[in-house]
Each structure stands twice: as structure tokens, then as C-alpha cells.
Amino acid sequence: MVNLPSTLGNLALSGKVAIVTGGGSGIGRASCLALAQVGALVIVAGRTLSKVCEVAEEITARGGAALPVAVDVSKGADVQRMIAFAAETFGGVDILFNNAGISPVGSVTEISEDEWDECLAIDLRSVFLGAKYVIPELKRRGGGVILNTAGTFGVRPGRNKAAYAAAKAGVINLTRAIALDYARDRIRCNAVCPGYVDTPLNAGVAIDQRNLFLEAHQPLPGLIQAEEVASLVVYLASDAAKMITGQALLIDGGQQVGLF
Ligand code: NAD
């Protein structure tokens, strides 16, 4: 071991309370495990109780601290209950990761009004609700972190994802607005923007179609794993990133979507 001063110790989240929505699978599950690994007490939140229970049990079995809670992130009362649950059980909230999302397929003429509303409610309204109700809790702790999952489609759309692209672009600008409004309260707000990640969200994508997309758009070979997004989440949640706020960080294998 080299004895040099290091800022990497700042990555530790010992005793911090983190809520992760969509925690039962994919990026959310990987983030719950990673946050617990660096010492956070994790509220695993999601729509399907059996899945969030499984993840919380997995963390507990490995010696970490986690509790499950069922939530529909598009409903204000549910989000308030989730945050109150964290405060009652673990004593407060330091980190909220608004990650739950859906990704309906279709151009504007193909999707229904209901599909549009559902996508905007789960992918964007949820971020508004999460921030709205967690900020008073974060202020009570003297600051905190809000992270949101946007996506490369929020920077530049892909075909047949009209509602999703609109919602994720909204998430990015809402992230910036929250960051500006609450920076003086020592609340940081950032978005992670994954490219194509190997998760249940993409279960319906045919392998040929996926490979064509990666060949055309992703310079770095290989599939982005949920654990790799989780590493970025841990970094942004930690004091190592204490001067980073209002950013949309791409983890996309070098797609350089911002340049198009
Ligand atoms: P996933 O399907 O495994 O995770 C989404 C989770 O959100 C699921 O556990 C689901 O139960 C939960 N969820 C859906 N609606 C909910 C609701 N109303 N209330 C509570 N929970 C709800 O897929 P994932 O890829 O891990 O997705 C996580 C986030 O990453 C999403 O916001 C998604 O849009 C985003 N994203 C994914 C990719 C990708 O390629 N997989 C790329 C960019 C962004």
C-alpha cells in the first residue's frame, strides 16, 4: 500500500441513508448493492414488492443494511410515504436516486395519449415528486444528494421513442433547475445518462437489433453493465463529487451523442 494522501476515502458512504427507486432490478438493483457495499443504509424502493424484498434480503445476507418498500413513483402520496419510511426506520435521508422508469416504443402517431401520460408520469413526474418531498428531509440533514436516471435519448433522441425521449430530456433540465435552486442548501443534483445497458428494460430487444445499434453507435466494444452505472452513482453520491452539481453525465461507451 502506498502511503500518499488520498481523496478516495471520500467515496465511503458509511451511515448515509440512500433511497433507490426501481431498486428491484437492473441499474437500481446494482446501485443498491454498490451503495450498501460502501456503507450506506439502503431503502430499496420499487413497484413490485417481491423484487425489492429480494434485493434487500440479498444486501442483509451479505452484511449490509437495507429495507424494502413498495412505491409507485408517479404518485405523490406513495413518494411521501417512501421518504417518511426512510426517516422513521433509518432516521433521515441523505441520498435519493430517482431511477425507476419505463421505455415505451413508438413515434407520436403510434403511441396513445394514455401511453404518453404514463411514460411522462413514471419517468419525469417521479423526479419532480421525489425532489419535492425529499428536499425538506435533506435540508434537515444540512444537505444531501439527488440523482436521476436520464439517458442518452434525453440528449439526442433515437427513433420510435418519442415519449421516452421527451421525458428524459425533461429529467436533464429538471436536474439542472433543482441543482440551481438548492445549491446554497448544499443539495447537489445530477443525472446519469446511460447508453444501451444490459437490463430487463431491454429484454424485448432482439439480439440482432441490439448488435446493429451497438455497431452503429457505440465505439467501445461490449455491453454496458448495470454495475458500471452503479459505480458512477456511488461516485456522484459521495463527497468525492462534492463540487459536481447540475450535470448530466454520459456513460455510453463513447457514443458522443452531445456532438451530433
Ligand atoms: P429495469 O426495467 O430493470 O428497471 C426499471 C425499474 O423501475 C423496474 O424495477 C420497475 O419495476 C421499476 N418501475 C417501473 N415503473 C415504476 C413505478 N411506477 N413505480 C416504481 N417503480 C417502477 O431497467 P433499467 O434499465 O435498470 O432502468 C432503470 C432506469 O434506467 C430507467 O429510468 C431507464 O429509463 C433508465 N435507462 C436505461 C437504459 C438501458 O439501456 N437499460 C438506458 C438509459 C436509461
Side-chain angles (χ1 to χ4, degrees):
M1 192 66 103
V2 183
N3 188 19
L4 291 173
S6 168
T7 53
L8 290 179
N10 294 345
L11 280 169
L13 292 170
S14 311
K16 299 277 185 194
V17 179
I19 303 176
V20 179
T21 72
S25 62
I27 293 166
R29 174 182 173 276
S31 299
C32 288
L33 293 170
L35 288 162
Q37 201 186 336
V38 292
L41 318 177
V42 181
I43 300 287
V44 187
R47 194 160 51 175
T48 314
L49 187 60
S50 58
K51 288 202 301 184
V52 292
C53 284
E54 230 170 76
V55 174
E57 277 163 22
E58 192 178 345
I59 290 171
T60 311
R62 293 185 191 191
L67 289 169
V69 66
V71 65
D72 179 342
V73 292
S74 66
K75 299 205 161 74
D78 270 32
V79 172
Q80 282 180 279
R81 196 172 40 78
M82 169 183 82
I83 290 162
F85 178 72
E88 282 156 21
T89 52
F90 285 146
V93 187
D94 302 290
I95 298 152
L96 171 63
F97 182 22
N98 289 308
N99 164 74
I102 57 170
S103 182
V105 175
S107 64
V108 290
T109 52
E110 289 162 355
I111 56 168
S112 67
E113 291 183 30
D114 285 348
E115 284 171 323
W116 169 272
D117 288 346
E118 187 188 27
C119 181
L120 270 284
I122 294 177
D123 288 2
L124 179 57
R125 183 172 202 263
S126 60
V127 175
F128 154 68
L129 293 172
K132 180 175 177 60
Y133 294 119
V134 85
I135 283 169
E137 279 299 328
L138 300 183
K139 282 186 179 175
R140 257 192 280 282
R141 307 278 262 197
V145 176
I146 299 171
L147 297 174
N148 304 316
T149 305
T152 49
F153 281 19
V155 182
R156 183 194 66 186
R159 288 202 176 88
N160 293 320
K161 289 275 183 173
Y164 183 74
K168 294 301 191 183
V171 170
I172 291 174
N173 228 23
L174 180 55
T175 297
R176 295 180 181 129
I178 295 165
L180 269 179
D181 287 339
Y182 298 96
R184 289 287 196 252
D185 297 301
R186 299 183 188 281
I187 293 170
R188 296 188 294 108
C189 184
N190 290 295
V192 293
C193 301
Y196 186 100
V197 189
D198 193 19
T199 71
L201 192 88
N202 289 321
V205 179
I207 292 189
D208 285 359
Q209 200 190 336
R210 178 195 78 191
N211 290 345
L212 277 175
F213 175 85
L214 295 178
E215 186 59 34
H217 297 292
Q218 185 186 301
L220 280 175
L223 274 176
I224 302 168
Q225 300 298 320
E227 289 71 18
E228 288 154 355
V229 182
S231 298
L232 179 59
V233 168
V234 167
Y235 171 70
L236 289 172
S238 76
D239 277 354
K242 78 178 178 8
M243 294 308 280
I244 300 178
T245 196
Q247 301 302 310
L249 287 106
L250 274 69
I251 170 161
D252 65 351
Q255 287 189 43
Q256 307 200 17
V257 287
L259 300 181
F260 283 74

